Amino acid sequence: KRIKRAPRKYPVAKYIKKYYKNKIDYLIADELHEYKSGTSKQGEAFGDLVSTAKKTIALTGTLLNGYASGLFYILYRTFPHLMKKEGFDYSNEMNFTKQYGVIRSTSRFAMHNGRQDRRIGGSKVKILPGVSPLVFTNFLLENAVFISLSDISEGMPGYREIPIGIQMTSLMHMSNWKKI
């Protein structure tokens, strides 16, 4: 009897990058902040699609998570030429954070006769919240548009919430659910 194997999985974004390079005029990607990880498949797919399209429109309501490192891969995937021009490789997130973020480095030292002597162990580095305004001027000023809902709400239809109460049945009560 012959063994059937499942077809090999191949990411759609890689296929598009390979066969449709410069054939896509615009990529519109929503929730840009979801692609900030350097190791996520979602972020990798976003990077492949950005490199395929002639123009990218990336949308988010939360570009910044408070840390410079949260912008590194987003910027590298959307503006690799700028990142390379600034001297960053895809693998130097920490150098980007040192230049545009806030880092606290602490070391322990031995004391000898009331004076600081040799260092004990290595230094501990902690990334803290904060981003330099230079990120805005170096990367975003010419490449981003910042708008709020009030900027575009004039032409939108009205919105009204109407809560409707629903009577719960006995099956809906938590006490009737079986524990798994």
Side-chain angles (χ1 to χ4, degrees):
K1 189 174 183 178
R2 188 173 177 165
I3 298 172
K4 290 186 180 179
R5 294 188 179 183
R8 189 172 74 110
K9 293 181 180 181
Y10 192 78
V12 174
K14 291 242 183 271
Y15 181 87
I16 292 170
K17 181 179 179 179
K18 185 174 181 179
Y19 294 105
Y20 289 90
K21 185 104 173 149
N22 292 321
K23 293 180 183 176
I24 296 173
D25 292 324
Y26 291 96
L27 166 67
I28 301 174
D30 196 11
E31 302 296 341
L32 177 66
H33 60 278
E34 296 288 337
Y35 316 132
K36 70 178 180 248
S37 172
T39 57
S40 76
K41 294 296 180 192
Q42 197 174 22
E44 188 178 312
F46 171 70
D48 287 342
L49 294 173
V50 167
S51 69
T52 302
K54 294 174 186 171
K55 300 282 182 182
T56 299
I57 300 170
L59 309 167
T60 185
T62 333
L63 177 61
L64 187 61
N65 67 351
Y67 296 85
S69 58
L71 284 172
F72 179 75
Y73 291 105
I74 290 172
L75 292 173
Y76 216 102
R77 288 175 177 136
T78 50
F79 312 116
H81 57 286
L82 286 176
M83 294 294 279
K84 290 174 186 172
K85 182 180 166 189
E86 291 286 324
F88 298 109
D89 291 326
Y90 190 76
S91 60
N92 33 3
E93 179 183 352
M94 184 53 90
N95 289 350
F96 181 84
T97 303
K98 285 177 183 175
Q99 187 166 339
Y100 294 106
V102 179
I103 293 180
R104 179 175 61 201
S105 181
T106 56
S107 300
R108 291 182 41 194
F109 292 89
M111 299 298 284
H112 183 70
N113 294 330
R115 292 181 168 211
Q116 181 177 308
D117 198 21
R118 60 183 164 74
R119 185 168 57 184
I120 302 171
S123 296
K124 289 184 182 180
V125 175
K126 182 172 181 172
I127 298 170
L128 300 173
V131 181
S132 169
L134 292 175
V135 168
F136 181 78
T137 56
N138 291 356
F139 299 101
L140 300 175
L141 187 62
E142 295 182 14
N143 300 301
V145 176
F146 297 92
I147 59 173
S148 66
L149 189 57
S150 62
D151 296 330
I152 59 171
S153 63
E154 189 176 304
M156 295 177 73
Y159 174 76
R160 206 171 87 204
E161 284 189 35
I162 306 170
I164 299 172
I166 299 173
Q167 192 65 27
M168 290 181 73
T169 67
S170 61
L171 290 173
M172 293 177 178
H173 288 284
M174 293 281 290
S175 60
N176 294 327
W177 291 9
K178 292 182 181 178
K179 292 184 179 179
I180 297 175

